[in-house]
Amino acid sequence: QVQLVESGGGLVQPGGSLRLSCAASGFTFRNYNMNWYRQALGKERELVAGITTSGAYTNYADSVTGRFTVSRDNAKNTVWLQMNSLKPEDTAVYSCNAVRLLGIGVDDYWGQGTQVTVSS
């Protein structure tokens, strides 16, 4: 059974930090690129950060570049999102996504999400 389980969300003051975790099971984690998405209330889901299978390459949304860092450990089947200098506009449900490109499409899985609220 495939599972992606996020944790680490919560309420934090502006300027604070949180570290989100996403624990994967039920599939070959090291073969999948991993992404973090977020969706704020009433807004479209947006890609926040991504990391390739080996961790060699990462990418970030402009809005989080320099503040967020994505990392992974294939031995632990886990991907993290370190979020620093948090702003109220970072408030959203954060979800992790595992994706693998296939010849005829993609194979992807989603977690249930974790709420991050940035407020004083």
Side-chain angles (χ1 to χ4, degrees), residues 25-43:
S25 61
F27 64 100
T28 307
F29 179 77
R30 65 180 180 273
N31 291 343
Y32 286 71
N33 296 317
M34 297 299 297
N35 299 305
W36 284 97
Y37 284 81
R38 68 185 180 187
Q39 187 166 21
L41 196 62
K43 295 189 176 181

Side-chain angles (χ1 to χ4, degrees), residues 50-105:
I51 187 167
T52 55
T53 54
S54 67
Y57 298 99
T58 58
N59 63 281
Y60 299 92
D62 289 344
S63 59
V64 307
T65 297
R67 300 188 297 123
F68 290 11
T69 302
V70 60
S71 60
R72 68 188 293 164
D73 185 332
N74 287 342
K76 296 181 178 179
N77 288 355
T78 302
V79 61
W80 296 274
L81 184 68
Q82 177 67 44
M83 306 186 296
N84 298 328
S85 302
L86 283 161
K87 305 175 181 180
E89 51 264 43
D90 294 318
T91 296
V93 175
Y94 286 72
S95 301
C96 65
N97 160 250
V99 61
R100 180 178 61 158
L101 299 180
L102 305 174
I104 55 172

